[in-house]
Amino acid sequence: MRGIVLAGGNGTRLQPLSFVGSKQLAPCYDKPIIYYPLSMLMLAGISEVLIISRPDDLPQFRRLFGDGSDLGMSIAYTAQDEPRGIADAFLVGADHIRGEDNALILGDNLFHGANLPSLLRRSAAKLNGCVLFGHHVADPERFGVAEVDDEGRLVAIEEKPDRPRSNLAIPGLYFFDGGVVDVAKRLTPSARGELEITDVLRAYLAEGRADLAWLGRGVTWLDTGTHESLLEAALFVRDVQRRQGTRIGCVEEIAMHMGFITPDDCYRLGERMASSPYGRYVMDCARSYEKVPASARAAAGWT
């Protein structure tokens, strides 16, 4: 499976912060926002990733990740010259997808939960068309909403409905088969001139090939698209990391435990940042790798 991080858009809700660069490069506590969605793809076992962003911002992403080899990955970059909707990612990234199963995640979404890695891998393994995820929220009218029948099966998808028929919001994480590029090509742009992800999901649903995976109570989903939500996400990350002594979205640690890189490689990555608490944490993870029992690795969702 191949991964795409959609890190485009103008970030208008974060202005003036977004005037100086991509919102996905803004800090969310101790790391750039994009670390969080990238880490989700890594936990799903994905090592080939395309980052889509504005042309002016791509050099900064390349400076951050290079070609991905430091993390044992292949990271490529493609420009989206202007926002044309989430589904435009499939057209921009068609050469990356190359007819293979793929995962699309929005670059400003943050997920955290002990059972997430295993859920992602199970969902990828049973993929037959597309998988979208459902998460209970208090304000579903702000999101795309999944309607389910009495047995919990997906029956309809609404986009920001005035009167939602459920409180199951659809986060910015989706799995698709390689046919999604053709589906996106057939879409009619919305009144705003955008290709809507909801229309892609509905096309799969109409063919009976859209499955809903429920994110349970133990999963936190946050977006970082406004000043307030960015602050809330940063405080969440800070509090969890302080109390647990681990770090959310630490791509170096995840790469090591997923087998993308060795503990020695991980240590060297941390050593580059040894003056920061984050760098010292990465070094400590590498030093203690052999001491982590198999049960703890399984609980963390590492392979």
Side-chain angles (χ1 to χ4, degrees):
M1 178 174 277
R2 294 171 174 268
I4 296 177
V5 181
L6 182 56
N10 294 322
T12 53
R13 293 182 298 165
L14 279 176
Q15 292 172 350
L17 179 64
S18 56
F19 285 151
V20 294
S22 168
K23 66 178 179 180
Q24 289 84 8
L25 291 171
C28 182
Y29 190 53
D30 59 349
K31 61 190 77 70
I33 291 171
I34 197 172
Y35 273 48
Y36 301 100
L38 178 63
S39 69
M40 289 299 298
L41 297 181
M42 296 169 69
L43 287 169
I46 297 171
S47 60
E48 294 180 89
V49 173
L50 174 70
I51 295 175
I52 299 174
S53 190
R54 299 182 299 188
D56 290 347
D57 296 324
L58 288 180
Q60 283 70 45
F61 286 107
R62 287 195 179 95
R63 180 181 178 186
L64 189 60
F65 297 121
D67 63 1
S69 57
D70 283 349
L71 296 172
M73 302 174 67
S74 173
I75 299 179
Y77 307 87
T78 297
Q80 184 187 50
D81 54 1
E82 61 182 47
R84 288 186 293 269
I86 295 173
D88 185 56
F90 304 118
L91 304 184
V92 175
D95 290 341
H96 172 74
I97 294 172
R98 293 190 302 191
E100 297 186 23
D101 293 348
N102 55 94
L104 170 66
I105 189 167
L106 303 188
D108 60 357
N109 276 218
L110 185 157
F111 297 85
H112 180 64
N115 296 325
L116 265 176
S118 58
L119 173 63
L120 295 177
R121 290 175 208 149
R122 288 196 308 269
S123 299
K126 70 176 186 179
L127 180 65
N128 178 30
C130 82
V131 175
L132 56 150
F133 296 85
H135 192 277
H136 287 285
V137 297
D139 49 355
E141 64 278 359
R142 294 179 51 227
F143 307 99
V145 175
E147 182 184 356
V148 297
D149 61 18
D150 293 338
E151 296 182 4
R153 292 175 299 199
L154 181 68
V155 296
I157 300 167
E158 301 177 282
E159 179 63 25
K160 298 181 180 178
D162 293 332
R163 296 184 178 181
R165 286 177 279 188
S166 85
N167 65 343
L168 269 179
I170 302 172
L173 172 63
Y174 321 88
F175 290 173
F176 293 97
D177 64 14
V180 70
V181 175
D182 291 330
V183 173
K185 287 178 179 178
R186 296 194 297 267
L187 293 182
T188 300
S190 68
R192 298 180 297 173
E194 297 184 352
L195 300 180
E196 303 289 353
I197 190 67
T198 304
D199 291 336
V200 176
L201 300 175
R202 286 174 177 156
Y204 277 94
L205 181 59
E207 297 175 357
R209 298 194 303 123
D211 293 320
L212 177 69
W214 295 57
L215 300 178
R217 289 176 177 265
V219 173
T220 297
W221 164 49
L222 302 167
D223 76 54
T224 56
T226 68
H227 300 108
E228 191 67 22
S229 61
L230 177 57
L231 175 60
E232 290 173 355
L235 293 175
F236 172 82
V237 171
R238 183 201 65 178
D239 291 346
V240 170
Q241 292 184 171
R242 277 184 178 178
R243 292 169 183 172
Q244 297 185 355
T246 58
R247 299 215 172 214
I248 300 173
C250 179
V251 294
E252 297 85 1
E253 178 186 17
I254 294 169
M256 177 181 66
H257 283 287
M258 293 298 295
F260 296 173
I261 59 175
T262 68
D264 287 343
D265 294 330
C266 183
Y267 186 88
R268 284 192 288 270
L269 292 176
E271 199 170 24
R272 297 177 186 174
M273 305 175 281
S275 296
S276 72
Y278 182 93
R280 292 192 291 273
Y281 172 83
V282 172
M283 295 165 67
D284 288 342
C285 288
R287 279 193 291 255
S288 61
Y289 175 79
E290 298 296 340
K291 299 178 183 178
V292 179
S295 58
R297 287 199 179 100
W302 296 320
T303 57

